[in-house]
Amino acid sequence: MIETSPSSPAPVDVVLPCLDEAEALPWVLDRVPSGWRAIVVDNGSTDSSADIARTLGAHVVHEPRRGFGAACHAGLTAATADVVCFCDCDASLDPTLLPSVAGPVRDGSADLVLGRRRPVTRRAWPLHARLANLELARLIRQRTGLRLHDLGPMRAARRESLLALDLTDRRSGYPLQMVVRAADAGWRVAETEVPYRPRTGRSKVTGTWLGTWHAVRDMRAVLAERPAAAPVSAATTPGTGR
């Protein structure tokens, strides 16, 4: 893994997994909250994504191992801020909404916050992807007791707490493994609604039936994992006594 030298410390780091997102990057990076650091994880792009991100001031990490989880975890390990956000890099989610997602983590009222996607048009979320998401929400409730509606890709938590979860999935199961292990550790998991727009470019996962099937397969493997014998609770939040 090769990365550029980090910029000055930021209150929040925003991890942006990236695979051929040259068209979307300018819009996405322009909307990252002022003072927050954008970490663009290039996961083997064949376009100019990395160069564009670097030119626009993002901290660029190169993760050669292909996989959504590999890109997310590379960004997490490169982060230095106390709070870390994750956001898709395809312009389907607006980074200006990240403060509302990170807010409950920063003030200590939640340990993990997920952005529940609300599509603004029918084509923003294909039918097969919506059906898969409904089934996944049912399986999450069955496995963890959490009454979630969406495994939202926009999310926030504390960096050291996330690292302590020892996440191992490096493919499509990474976001689910984060939620399952957080639930097993007794974390307070919350949702907040975020608009979901048609992505720029073609989806690498849910844009096709095959991609969706691979994602479901990876997630079923995560749901079959046994709970950790000694789960790690969320780290103490400064000023909250937790």
Side-chain angles (χ1 to χ4, degrees), residues 1-2 21 37 68 75 84 90 101 109 111 125 136 171 182 191 196 201 228:
M1 183 174 66
I2 304 168
E21 302 291 4
R37 184 171 65 144
F68 183 74
V84 176
D90 57 11
V101 177
S109 60
D111 302 311
W125 208 352
L136 182 58
R171 299 192 301 187
E191 286 183 317
Y196 191 50

Side-chain angles (χ1 to χ4, degrees), residues 124-136:
W125 208 352
L127 177 60
H128 60 273
R130 294 193 200 197
L131 294 175
N133 192 67
L134 287 172
E135 174 63 7
L136 182 58

Side-chain angles (χ1 to χ4, degrees), residues 20-21 23-24 89-92 197-204:
D20 295 331
E21 302 291 4
E23 187 178 353
C89 200
D90 57 11
S92 61
R197 298 172 173 81
R199 62 159 290 137
T200 298
R202 184 173 180 273
S203 172
K204 287 78 176 177

Side-chain angles (χ1 to χ4, degrees), residues 67-84:
F68 183 74
C72 287
H73 204 70
L76 175 61
T77 57
T80 56
D82 179 39
V83 174
V84 176

